[in-house]
Amino acid sequence: MREVRRLLPPLDIISAPTSMQRLKDRGFSRAMERVLGMDPRDIIAEVKASGIKGRGGAAFPTGFKWESVYEAPGGNRYVVMNADESELGTFKDRALLEYDPLGPLVGMLIAAHAVGAKKAYCYIRGEYRPIERQMVNALQTLADCGWVGPHAVEVEVRRGAGAYIAGEETALLNSIEGKRAEPRVKPPFPTSKGLWGDPTLIQNVETLANVTLLFAHDVEWFRQCGSPQTPGTKLVSLSGHVKNPGVYEVPFGFPMADIIADPELGGGITGSGRLRAILLGGAAGTFLSPDQISATVLDYGSLGTFDASIGSGAIMVFDDSVDLSWVLRKLAHFFADESCGQCVPCRIGTRRIVEMLAQGGLYSRVQDLRDLAQAMRDASICGLGQTAPTALLSILDRPNWQGA
Amino acid sequence: MDTEKPAVMAEVFSILKDIPQDRSQLLVALWLVFEHYQRFRPEIVDAVSQYMNIPYAEVYGVTSFYALFHNPDGKNPLHVCTDVMCALQGADDLVKKLQALTQRSTVCVKECPCLGQCDAAPAAFFGKQVLRRATPDLIAQAIRGEDHA
Ligand SMILES: Cc1cc2nc3c(=O)[nH]c(=O)nc-3n(C[C@H](O)[C@H](O)[C@H](O)COP(=O)(O)O)c2cc1C
Ligand code: SF4
Ligand code: FES
């Protein structure tokens, strides 16, 4: 099996990524024109039928989210493209926005048309300045087509300023509103009360790129790839001890081991040449041992048997020279630094984990760590606090695993 | 400082002249001002607060929230990723070398979390430039380029 390029443009494409010609070459103008002739309810039905799930981490069914925003009472409606991408080991949105920015942007316009939004925001992390420029150029092309602007959908690019938490959807809303990027208590969800209390649709860059592909083709085409439960392809960000680190596109259901080893993909383990583990999904991801990697495919059901998930699609590869408890200490520091401090279990919990790991090593206080993790999961406001101990627990749950 | 204050006020007002006085434009306004001064001294925060018509404490609250705005000495920040994947590729060593190189310069080295460039680790970020497979030479080149820009 090899890479499937649907979200990523063909390697031999010659049109410039932000050009009018690219819109045609990739079928994006066809997608936009088809949607402009459709009733919003039919657009939403098609997204639902495609089975597209969110690619930002939570895998929420996209069509259902659109329906919630469409049906929510309220005057103004907004669409937000989440390009804050700050998850450890994750760079697929950057690649997508660099190689083919018109795909996700057209997806955002399709979403605006479906939910009745006249205004959209592209929120991009402040460290992606070259990509921001690319995005602005692509928006100019869309304005030249008459699809962006005061008589269509107005789009504002918002630059973040270095806060991991700002990628959390409600924190992102506060950031756009000019406030501290602190998460809000949910419910209410942004679909009913988002920007300035109005219904707001927030989607990841890659999710929106999938939407454009869907409308450039149809549901049947879209579902030809991937698994029945999770149709389509996934971009993975492969880094660490592999021969060819980078972004790859594979269908859901693709063998995990092949992503790392296939000569056309990861190309095998470098460093010592012996695989110790991967960290899948980001800083709040799950470690998988070589046995588990061999036994799983890239899909939610398969990975769920090991309590793992795809998360952002980050696959960080570690050879057997890497001390996994060192990785855990780095992750713990990261969460302690990035906690917004709003709620106690997360603010204190993330610091306690740092201290416990520094004091006695991983296995000296297993029960304390588990209790703390439980409290953080139960009582934190947002995903950061709830999932900060996930990677740690994935190691504690395998006491016989050499390496940590 | 007292003679400087009205000057800063006028300067900030002129930097922000095209920005609507609307709370949702605050982050946009802060970026423009930060790119000019490379820091947020109290009189700068005060000027933004006056221009935007947002209380000082609120503006301060926002500036202090974001890592890229935290730059008390006002030198040009060179952000070097020392997160997991870059650390595996020698980022800590790179930071030490860069610190030695930039002593007594207008640049200050800051360690930062993942820059989303792990496929070309170690990574750094300076001004508007992203530096992949960063080496002291590459970074020195970028700093010189940025100075002439
Ligand atoms: C701490 C934290 C950080 C997040 N960062 C991002 C991010 O950078 N990009 C993103 O798309 N989603 C991020 N998310 C997920 C968003 O909250 C949200 O679920 C997502 O943008 C929805 O889009 P999707 O349904 O298309 O995946 C983050 C979540 C948490 C808890
Ligand atoms: S869980 Fe952590 S990051 Fe999330 S709101 Fe609470 S303190 Fe902030
Ligand atoms: S860990 Fe350094 S760029 Fe991702």
Side-chain angles (χ1 to χ4, degrees):
Chain A
M1 261 211 271
R2 51 196 343 229
E3 192 182 31
V4 177
R5 292 180 78 95
R6 303 214 300 190
L7 294 159
L8 296 172
L11 288 166
D12 58 357
I13 199 162
I14 47 173
S15 51
T18 62
S19 64
M20 211 73 101
Q21 187 59 41
R22 178 63 70 91
L23 276 174
K24 295 201 182 77
D25 290 350
R26 293 279 284 144
F28 298 158
S29 36
R30 187 171 72 229
M32 192 68 197
E33 274 149 19
R34 178 152 90 86
V35 164
L36 289 174
M38 283 172 80
D39 184 87
R41 272 170 300 233
D42 296 333
I43 301 172
I44 293 169
E46 192 160 330
V47 176
K48 278 167 106 175
S50 74
I52 296 176
K53 296 176 188 168
R55 306 291 203 246
F60 189 84
T62 301
F64 287 90
K65 196 144 104 180
W66 291 26
E67 189 169 60
S68 306
V69 177
Y70 178 76
E71 287 176 351
N76 298 321
R77 264 144 235 281
Y78 300 94
V79 174
V80 178
M81 178 168 96
N82 189 346
D84 195 47
E85 190 166 70
S86 310
E87 186 62 55
L88 174 66
T90 310
F91 40 93
K92 46 102 185 167
D93 294 340
R94 185 203 84 219
L96 204 43
L97 289 168
E98 182 179 344
Y99 303 139
D100 216 26
L102 292 162
L105 290 171
V106 167
M108 179 181 74
L109 299 177
I110 293 173
H113 187 65
V115 304
K118 293 269 165 283
K119 174 118 202 186
Y121 290 90
C122 301
Y123 192 99
I124 183 162
R125 71 179 295 191
E127 296 88 343
Y128 277 178
R129 294 299 285 270
I131 303 298
E132 182 187 325
R133 216 172 306 133
Q134 179 89 327
M135 191 190 256
V136 169
N137 291 339
L139 284 168
Q140 185 55 52
T141 302
L142 295 170
D144 294 342
C145 296
W147 296 331
V148 164
H151 303 295
V153 180
E154 283 197 272
V155 181
E156 241 184 274
V157 174
R158 266 316 149 82
R159 185 189 310 138
Y164 168 70
I165 192 59
E168 194 280 334
E169 53 186 6
T170 59
L172 190 86
L173 299 178
N174 279 338
S175 184
I176 291 174
E177 289 184 14
K179 300 175 185 152
R180 289 163 70 85
E182 284 163 347
R184 302 174 181 173
V185 178
K186 292 190 273 194
F189 290 94
T191 47
S192 58
K193 294 210 178 326
L195 283 172
W196 301 286
D198 285 323
T200 302
L201 178 71
I202 304 163
Q203 295 295 185
N204 172 259
V205 173
E206 185 187 349
T207 312
L208 293 171
N210 273 289
V211 166
T212 307
L213 280 182
L214 166 66
F215 286 97
H217 302 84
D218 56 22
V219 170
E220 196 196 334
W221 177 88
F222 190 85
R223 297 187 74 110
Q224 274 167 12
C225 252
S227 68
Q229 301 77 24
T230 321
T233 55
K234 178 80 193 85
L235 295 177
V236 295
S237 310
L238 190 60
S239 67
H241 290 125
V242 280
K243 186 154 169 271
N244 314 314
V247 173
Y248 298 98
E249 180 173 359
V250 293
F252 282 99
F254 198 85
M256 288 298 294
D258 290 358
I259 297 176
I260 300 164
D262 191 295
E264 288 181 30
L265 304 171
I269 309 297
T270 54
S272 73
R274 289 179 303 271
L275 176 63
R276 164 145 298 156
I278 63 168
L279 175 55
L280 177 66
T286 314
F287 284 100
L288 290 178
S289 65
D291 290 350
Q292 292 171 329
I293 295 165
S294 303
T296 43
V297 297
L298 187 80
D299 205 351
Y300 298 97
S302 168
L303 289 164
T305 57
F306 296 115
D307 290 326
S309 193
I310 297 169
S312 62
I315 301 178
M316 294 169 265
V317 180
F318 301 111
D319 75 7
D320 68 356
S321 73
V322 178
D323 171 7
L324 298 185
S325 50
W326 167 80
V327 180
L328 288 177
R329 285 198 298 277
K330 297 276 290 183
L331 300 179
H333 275 286
F334 170 76
F335 285 118
D337 285 347
E338 298 297 329
S339 165
C340 83
Q342 238 190 150
C343 48
V344 175
C346 171
R347 184 178 69 231
I348 309 288
T350 51
R351 302 218 168 274
R352 289 295 294 138
I353 292 177
V354 170
E355 289 161 17
M356 286 190 205
L357 293 181
Q359 274 164 13
L362 186 56
Y363 294 106
S364 66
R365 302 190 52 187
V366 173
Q367 198 51 46
D368 289 346
L369 280 168
R370 284 186 187 283
D371 292 345
L372 180 58
Q374 194 59 45
M376 291 171 72
R377 243 186 230 172
D378 293 343
S380 296
I381 290 180
C382 87
L384 188 150
Q386 288 158 7
T387 62
T390 303
L392 185 115
L393 291 175
S394 75
I395 291 203
L396 289 183
D397 287 342
R398 301 181 192 91
N400 300 322
W401 189 12
Q402 296 299 307
Chain B
M1 159 117 178
D2 274 340
T3 51
E4 239 178 60
K5 222 173 154 179
V8 168
M9 189 75 76
E11 198 168 45
V12 168
F13 273 53
S14 112
I15 292 169
L16 295 181
K17 64 182 187 310
D18 296 328
I19 300 289
Q21 281 147 312
D22 164 6
R23 177 76 192 237
S24 77
Q25 295 296 323
L26 180 58
L27 189 52
V28 181
L30 290 175
W31 261 115
L32 283 176
V33 171
F34 182 79
E35 292 198 318
H36 185 83
Y37 294 104
Q38 301 283 16
R39 73 166 101 181
F40 284 109
R41 288 195 312 257
E43 60 270 33
I44 298 170
V45 174
D46 186 40
V48 175
S49 146
Q50 302 271 339
Y51 177 87
M52 297 296 290
N53 203 11
I54 299 169
Y56 181 96
E58 294 267 321
V59 177
Y60 175 78
V62 174
T63 60
S64 60
F65 190 86
Y66 295 98
L68 293 181
F69 290 158
H70 182 76
N71 195 35
D73 60 12
K75 289 185 172 186
N76 294 317
L78 167 63
H79 302 275
V80 183
C81 174
T82 50
D83 215 329
V84 178
M85 307 322 285
C86 287
L88 288 180
Q89 301 295 331
D92 293 328
D93 192 43
L94 180 65
V95 165
K96 281 198 197 94
K97 287 193 180 126
L98 292 170
Q99 274 164 344
L101 278 174
T102 54
Q103 256 181 357
R104 290 186 296 275
S105 81
T106 57
V107 172
C108 93
V109 179
K110 290 177 184 291
E111 296 184 34
C112 70
C114 181
L115 286 171
Q117 312 286 346
C118 334
D119 52 339
F125 171 61
F126 181 76
K128 294 176 187 167
Q129 303 179 75
V130 170
L131 303 156
R132 291 161 55 82
R133 291 183 196 88
T135 59
D137 278 351
L138 188 75
I139 288 174
Q141 222 176 323
I143 292 173
R144 283 195 301 271
E146 190 86 359
D147 279 342
H148 296 307

